[in-house]
Amino acid sequence: MRDFAELFTALDRTTKTTVKVAALSEFFTAASDDDKLWTIALLSHRRPRRTVNTTMLREWAAEAAGIPLWLFEEAYPVVGDLAETISLVLPEHCDAADVPLTEWIDLIIGLRDVEEEERKTAVTDAWRRLDRVECFLFNKLITGGFRVGVSQKLMSRALSKATGIDEAVIAHRLMGDWTPQSTSFSDLILSGDVNDDHSRPYPFCLAYAVEEDVDELAEPGDWLAERKWDGIRGQVIVRNGEVFVWSRGEELVTDRFPEFHVLAEHLPNGTVLDGEILPWRDGRPMDFQSLQTRIGRKTVGKKLLQDAPVILMAYDVMEDRGVDIREIPFETRRARLEEIVEEAASPALHLSPMLAFDDWPALAAEREQSRAHASEGLMLKRKNSVYHTGRRKGDWFKWKVDPMTVDAVMIYAQRGHGRRANLYTDFTFAVWKDGELVPFTKAYSGLTDAEFNEITNWVRRNTLEHFGPVRRVTPELVFEIAFEGIQKSKRHKSGIALRFPRMRRWRRDKPAVEAGTIEELFGFLNASA
Amino acid sequence: MALLEFTDRGIFCRQADVYIDPWKPVERALITHGHADHARPGHGTYLCTEAAAPVIRLRLGDIALETVSFGETRTINGVDISFHPAGHIPGSAQIRMEYKGEVWVVSGDYKVRPDNLSEPFEPIRCHTFISECTFGLPVFKWRPQEDVLAEINDWWRENAEAGRTSVLGAYSLGKAQRLLAGIDEGIGPIYTHGAVENTNAVLRAQGLSLPDTTLVTDEQSKGDYGCALIIAPPGALGSNWMRRFPKASTGFASGWMAMRGVRRRRAVDRGFVLSDHCDWTELNEAIAATGAENTYVTHGYTEIFRRWLEERGYHARIVETEFRGDDLEEPAEGEGASA
């Protein structure tokens, strides 16, 4: 797997897309077909499942490194990554013979069916046959945690460069329900007949955020507007009398949403719709927490179906009577979608309403109403736009409402993981209630590395108490916390739960006494309900 | 009474009335080496090695500084004091104190592997050893210096061929000169940041042989740098100073680069694992070689390292020092510390 390790190192070293694409296409030109296929699978989150539990791995690694387990356990949080810690404590073997990636993966998959003792022998023997980077990758593969910064778009571009096949065609072929065991490189990429797998979804068209002002979009008459729904993006496919539901994360979630199974009877074969899966009751979306209860569940019971029923809020159609219509203008697709939804006449299928507007100020006023409609803003789509593969600037925009904000005091700090392993980046925040600080949310993101560095130094000097990895700090630093939604919650001491909380800025100008109050938060609750 | 005590000003020898690398102003200070966390301003008198003195003068200005040669003994009120090579940077010393037959050694910062620039580390037998343990975890294991230098040369050569300037971050005292002395100067011209060049000038004047370098100045234009290697302190890497190298690949040489998370947080193109401290194995070997019955560990993963030493049958304790923060982190930029 030397070539794969080199590829990983090249990808890991750079943030420049051109360098990544060059490294990938070089790999896709030179590697064996099996290794290419597995690499595509790994880069598209089709990882082999974990076959060894991490407790065993730690024990074996400590033993192989000749150090006590406690010492390994102490080193792990410093490094912040188990696979890397193992690769660093083991003696390095630079002179081992090169074994292809596919062979290692086969070995890893095979571990599932063997006894503990044999598993240990196989893993520790593998460690002796891998250099440091290979060892790190092998461990990532065993623990099911392999990840590298390559988007589907970059991979498609690199495969296109290596094979000469159009990028959008590649992107489509990479979608769907395949595994390296179920196909081959040549079937998937080279000869890939897209129709051979009738569950295969289309790559989702993604929107950019409106950056400055909608004025930059020029002529209002060129655009259609609708609400930006706050559910989960889904693609519903009806082909050969069967229904398939795909999430935006390319997960087949058909079984989790039985509400849509009837669509096989309501929609013609060869229909593919894009829309938002929303928990729905009494003519409006329920809060997002209701959907949360559905997302994690593989099997959906009767009660759950009653408590959090879902609908598809459809907003686009990519395939009509078996024909890929992604290239026809959005306005035409939309007209066809309206007919489809009307003819279907299914309670599980709604049409995302269009918002009429004459000029941008009128639309801006409509955007202000977003929360009252349980939406997070507006979507703007150019009338003549095609349904793009992935994110393409210029045709689809999301125009979100400004988040709600509150100034809060940091009261606990915890170290981050991975890239942020040695920094305090995970904070708990509190607001005032009757002269006391009550914790109400955690937040991890939104500050720069320089700010996290500064706060880390501050945390070390202002720790009041340690609880394992958590430090209670002097309640002194104030941050503006932004969030997209707020709900009542019985599980939280503060009585509320926030959606997408993050630090918007560090309020160096504000002393803790001037931070926000719990009443302020309850005020938002009433406004958005 | 112990020969050395640990006070809030630093490591103190009551018998000789001297402090070692104190962090608050004292009357008499013994200084192991010139890094900012060991050689601080404000003391009455300073004592260090001849080789360490010029840099300390450069950094602290007009101070009352006396020097000794390596191995020379100074006796103060019955305490024999001598400085021995620590191999950390040129001039860096371990300090040996002997009183009535009892020997203590303060390691300062040290590196046992020769780097072809610093005076090679000398193991010293003692009863009590006060050792730093910056990299006292089994995840830190250095590869040979030649290998790392070859990696740096390859990086520079590749950049030069692609018409990119190479900017390498390294602490301006020690690491920068070690890199200069070790890289292949045939690849292209070498420029330096002012902080590095000042130190170069001082070390050259005391006889160290370094390749020719040119100071980066505002008079030069962007086009002048071409395929050059630029050596700059870490703090300069993220600053406006970098704007003069529009097409640059950045690298950073430090022991901390062994960890992927730190490498990525640095946001440089390449991290080179090159440290002026001992790795895990060397630290253990160095401590064993002193034959000391008592070990004090300081600066680094002290709690973990102490427990490890205890399990191995040593009598080990922790000393809190202010040689950088109280935590186990990569030194923050601008602290002038080295790794």
Side-chain angles (χ1 to χ4, degrees):
Chain A
M1 82 196 263
R2 211 136 290 166
D3 52 351
F4 182 73
E6 276 168 25
L7 171 68
F8 173 82
T9 303
L11 295 172
D12 197 44
R13 256 180 205 162
T14 186
T15 51
K16 296 187 184 80
T17 54
T18 48
V19 178
K20 287 189 180 187
V21 171
L24 280 165
S25 69
E26 193 183 318
F27 178 87
F28 286 131
T29 308
S32 74
D33 277 5
D34 284 345
D35 283 3
K36 280 190 266 195
L37 185 64
W38 262 114
T39 301
I40 295 168
L42 294 173
L43 296 181
S44 60
H45 316 294
R46 290 171 175 83
R47 300 184 281 255
R49 214 172 303 156
R50 191 164 79 195
T51 47
V52 179
N53 88 32
T54 55
T55 313
M56 298 317 298
L57 275 182
R58 293 177 219 217
E59 283 173 17
W60 301 342
E63 191 186 319
I67 56 172
L69 182 60
W70 71 263
L71 183 55
F72 181 90
E73 299 289 4
E74 291 283 359
Y76 170 28
V78 174
V79 177
D81 183 289
L82 182 64
E84 187 184 356
T85 310
I86 295 173
S87 75
L88 290 173
V89 298
L90 292 172
E92 189 168 23
H93 301 279
C94 304
D95 45 358
D98 189 16
V99 175
L101 171 69
T102 306
E103 269 182 48
W104 287 120
I105 292 177
D106 287 343
L107 180 144
I108 290 167
I109 293 171
L111 293 176
R112 200 175 309 162
D113 310 315
V114 301
E115 294 296 318
E116 194 75 29
E117 214 29 55
E118 198 179 327
R119 221 178 259 172
K120 177 179 174 181
T121 311
V123 170
T124 50
D125 174 62
W127 284 338
R128 278 190 290 273
R129 294 159 57 204
L130 295 158
D131 74 19
R132 190 155 284 161
V133 181
E134 292 172 333
C135 180
F136 166 68
L137 293 169
F138 176 81
N139 296 335
K140 280 282 176 198
L141 292 172
I142 302 190
T143 53
F146 181 83
R147 226 170 260 115
V148 65
V150 172
S151 65
Q152 297 300 93
K153 190 170 174 173
L154 286 194
M155 186 161 61
S156 306
R157 194 179 302 164
L159 279 165
S160 167
K161 243 177 119 179
T163 59
I165 300 168
D166 183 71
E167 195 180 319
V169 173
I170 298 265
H172 193 188
R173 286 179 184 171
L174 292 180
M175 302 285 289
D177 197 17
W178 62 271
T179 66
Q181 287 98 335
S182 71
T183 184
S184 68
F185 180 76
S186 98
D187 284 351
L188 182 74
I189 301 295
L190 303 179
S191 59
D193 177 2
V194 169
N195 297 324
D196 58 2
D197 169 10
H198 60 260
S199 76
R200 193 189 304 256
Y202 292 100
F204 284 89
C205 177
L206 305 175
Y208 269 93
V210 172
E211 270 163 25
E212 311 269 316
D213 210 332
V214 274
D215 289 350
E216 74 187 86
L217 306 182
E219 198 46 57
D222 291 345
W223 296 86
L224 292 173
E226 59 193 298
R227 302 223 177 271
K228 184 178 187 314
W229 300 106
D230 188 15
I232 40 177
R233 184 92 181 262
Q235 192 173 136
V236 172
I237 296 172
V238 176
R239 290 184 188 130
N240 294 8
E242 257 191 283
V243 174
F244 302 95
V245 183
W246 289 90
S247 74
R248 152 105 166 73
E250 268 184 67
E251 204 183 345
L252 193 55
V253 290
T254 318
D255 295 339
R256 295 186 206 179
F257 300 107
E259 288 95 333
F260 300 136
H261 296 178
V262 294
L263 290 177
E265 293 146 32
H266 292 264
L267 292 170
N269 272 321
T271 304
V272 179
L273 304 180
D274 185 6
E276 201 83 0
I277 299 171
L278 288 174
W280 191 266
R281 171 159 295 152
D282 304 330
R284 58 173 287 135
M286 300 164 69
D287 62 34
F288 192 82
Q289 221 161 310
S290 316
L291 190 57
Q292 297 282 23
T293 61
R294 295 284 302 263
I295 292 172
R297 284 323 151 74
K298 286 249 155 83
T299 50
V300 190
K302 223 179 205 166
K303 174 150 175 13
L304 200 54
L305 279 175
Q306 268 166 14
D307 290 348
V310 298
I311 58 131
L312 182 76
M313 185 64 89
Y315 40 67
D316 213 325
V317 48
M318 292 86 93
E319 185 174 311
D320 182 22
R321 284 162 289 201
V323 180
D324 177 354
I325 59 165
R326 289 178 297 161
E327 293 295 319
I328 69 172
F330 175 59
E331 203 174 16
T332 318
R333 294 201 307 278
R334 169 76 199 189
R336 182 62 196 128
L337 176 69
E338 287 172 14
E339 292 169 10
I340 292 171
V341 173
E342 197 185 324
E343 282 161 22
S346 160
L349 186 60
H350 292 223
L351 180 70
S352 176
M354 280 292 139
L355 303 172
F357 66 104
D358 294 325
D359 51 26
W360 296 123
L363 194 62
E366 194 61 62
R367 171 171 165 263
E368 294 305 316
Q369 302 303 309
S370 297
R371 289 203 205 287
H373 290 89
S375 75
E376 49 177 358
L378 302 178
M379 288 297 302
L380 288 163
K381 296 173 185 174
R382 202 184 281 278
K383 285 179 179 172
N384 64 4
S385 63
V386 303
Y387 190 93
H388 289 295
T389 294
R391 210 179 292 278
R392 193 81 64 82
K393 206 155 196 166
D395 284 337
W396 278 28
F397 286 97
K398 47 189 173 190
W399 192 22
K400 294 217 254 187
V401 281
D402 294 331
M404 295 174 257
T405 63
V406 67
D407 291 329
V409 185
M410 186 214 288
I411 54 169
Y412 297 107
Q414 189 174 352
R415 283 174 196 236
H417 293 278
R419 194 174 90 89
R420 316 204 296 188
N422 282 355
L423 288 178
Y424 286 89
T425 59
D426 302 6
F427 308 133
T428 302
F429 293 96
V431 286
W432 295 103
K433 180 187 179 186
D434 304 327
E436 275 179 40
L437 284 168
V438 277
F440 70 103
T441 191
K442 283 188 175 192
Y444 320 93
S445 62
L447 300 180
T448 63
D449 279 2
E451 285 171 317
F452 279 128
N453 264 319
E454 197 181 336
I455 293 167
T456 297
N457 281 327
W458 182 91
V459 166
R460 276 187 243 140
R461 283 180 283 109
N462 291 277
T463 300
L464 303 174
E465 257 180 296
H466 294 250
F467 309 95
V470 179
R471 289 175 176 221
R472 186 164 71 83
V473 297
T474 319
E476 187 179 304
L477 303 190
V478 177
F479 295 82
E480 182 179 313
I481 305 297
F483 49 98
E484 298 301 325
I486 180 165
Q487 285 151 16
K488 274 192 195 147
S489 165
K490 284 189 195 119
R491 287 190 303 136
H492 295 83
K493 198 173 156 192
S494 60
I496 49 150
L498 303 186
R499 184 144 150 71
F500 290 143
R502 71 262 182 195
M503 289 167 270
R504 185 134 93 155
R505 61 192 164 126
W506 185 355
R507 296 293 309 257
R508 295 170 191 263
D509 56 320
K510 253 196 182 182
V513 285
E514 286 175 29
T517 62
I518 196 82
E519 289 78 20
E520 221 176 302
L521 287 169
F522 276 104
F524 285 123
L525 200 58
N526 300 331
S528 60
Chain B
M1 189 180 66
L3 183 55
L4 294 182
E5 301 164 39
F6 306 105
T7 74
D8 61 357
R9 291 167 185 273
I11 302 170
F12 179 51
C13 176
R14 192 171 295 275
Q15 181 64 31
D17 191 21
V18 294
Y19 287 84
I20 297 174
D21 291 351
W23 46 87
K24 283 183 185 160
V26 300
E27 205 44 51
R28 278 200 288 184
L30 312 182
I31 304 295
T32 59
H33 66 291
H35 279 141
D37 51 338
H38 293 261
R40 303 196 189 216
H43 307 310
T45 63
Y46 292 74
L47 183 67
C48 69
T49 65
E50 282 156 9
V55 163
I56 292 176
R57 282 214 176 85
L58 169 75
R59 295 184 154 203
L60 300 182
D62 189 17
I63 51 170
L65 178 69
E66 269 188 80
T67 62
V68 288
S69 322
F70 280 115
E72 178 189 336
T73 302
R74 229 6 119 81
T75 308
I76 302 177
N77 197 24
V79 183
D80 290 338
I81 301 170
S82 55
F83 289 61
H84 304 266
H88 173 59
I89 60 169
S92 69
Q94 311 170 70
I95 296 178
R96 180 184 184 278
M97 316 271 279
E98 180 174 351
Y99 183 64
K100 292 183 179 167
E102 188 185 346
V103 181
W104 288 53
V105 170
V106 179
S107 77
D109 288 342
Y110 69 107
K111 168 170 96 271
V112 299
R113 243 188 265 191
D115 61 12
N116 302 330
L117 186 73
S118 314
E119 302 81 1
F121 174 87
E122 199 179 281
I124 305 170
R125 306 284 296 180
C126 56
H127 299 104
T128 304
F129 186 48
I130 302 174
S131 174
E132 58 121 334
C133 59
T134 310
F135 291 105
L137 284 181
V139 295
F140 297 109
K141 284 179 245 164
W142 313 145
R143 289 171 45 222
Q145 167 168 306
E146 315 78 272
D147 291 10
V148 183
L149 289 171
E151 249 181 76
I152 295 173
N153 285 332
D154 288 346
W155 166 72
W156 181 15
R157 199 173 293 116
E158 216 173 278
N159 290 333
E161 280 161 13
R164 280 190 301 266
T165 307
S166 307
V167 183
L168 184 56
Y171 294 104
S172 53
L173 167 57
K175 187 70 61 62
Q177 291 74 32
R178 181 177 169 196
L179 289 166
L180 281 169
I183 48 167
D184 178 359
E185 52 182 311
I187 299 171
I190 305 171
Y191 286 79
T192 49
H193 181 278
V196 174
E197 196 54 39
N198 284 342
T199 313
N200 285 352
V202 168
L203 292 176
R204 280 191 183 112
Q206 70 189 75
L208 257 73
S209 160
L210 298 173
D212 290 338
T213 52
T214 311
L215 177 68
V216 171
T217 65
D218 291 339
E219 280 73 56
Q220 293 149 4
S221 69
K222 288 179 181 170
D224 291 348
Y225 304 114
C227 57
L229 173 70
I230 319 284
I231 298 191
L237 250 59
S239 74
N240 287 340
W241 187 80
M242 282 297 289
R243 287 203 194 143
R244 61 191 83 212
F245 315 112
K247 270 184 69 187
S249 173
T250 52
F252 184 52
S254 157
W256 297 105
M257 292 294 115
M259 292 193 286
R260 182 166 172 249
V262 180
R263 235 164 28 231
R264 291 165 74 196
R265 201 160 70 226
R266 271 279 167 187
V268 288
D269 297 315
R270 291 291 298 275
F272 301 103
V273 186
L274 190 73
S275 175
D276 292 333
H277 295 263
C278 292
D279 71 6
W280 169 256
T281 313
E282 293 158 353
L283 210 45
N284 278 287
E285 287 170 0
I287 289 169
T290 64
E293 297 138 27
N294 297 305
T295 305
Y296 286 90
V297 293
T298 188
H299 178 223
Y301 300 93
T302 47
E303 183 46 55
I304 303 169
F305 198 60
R306 183 202 63 80
R307 183 172 166 197
W308 161 256
L309 290 177
E310 284 281 336
E311 278 191 12
R312 312 269 290 181
Y314 290 94
H315 185 208
R317 275 165 288 183
I318 296 172
V319 197
E320 297 294 341
T321 56
E322 289 187 14
F323 306 142
R324 275 159 266 174
D326 61 342
D327 223 334
L328 327 165
E329 317 289 331
E330 186 193 3
E333 283 171 18
E335 281 182 9
S338 90

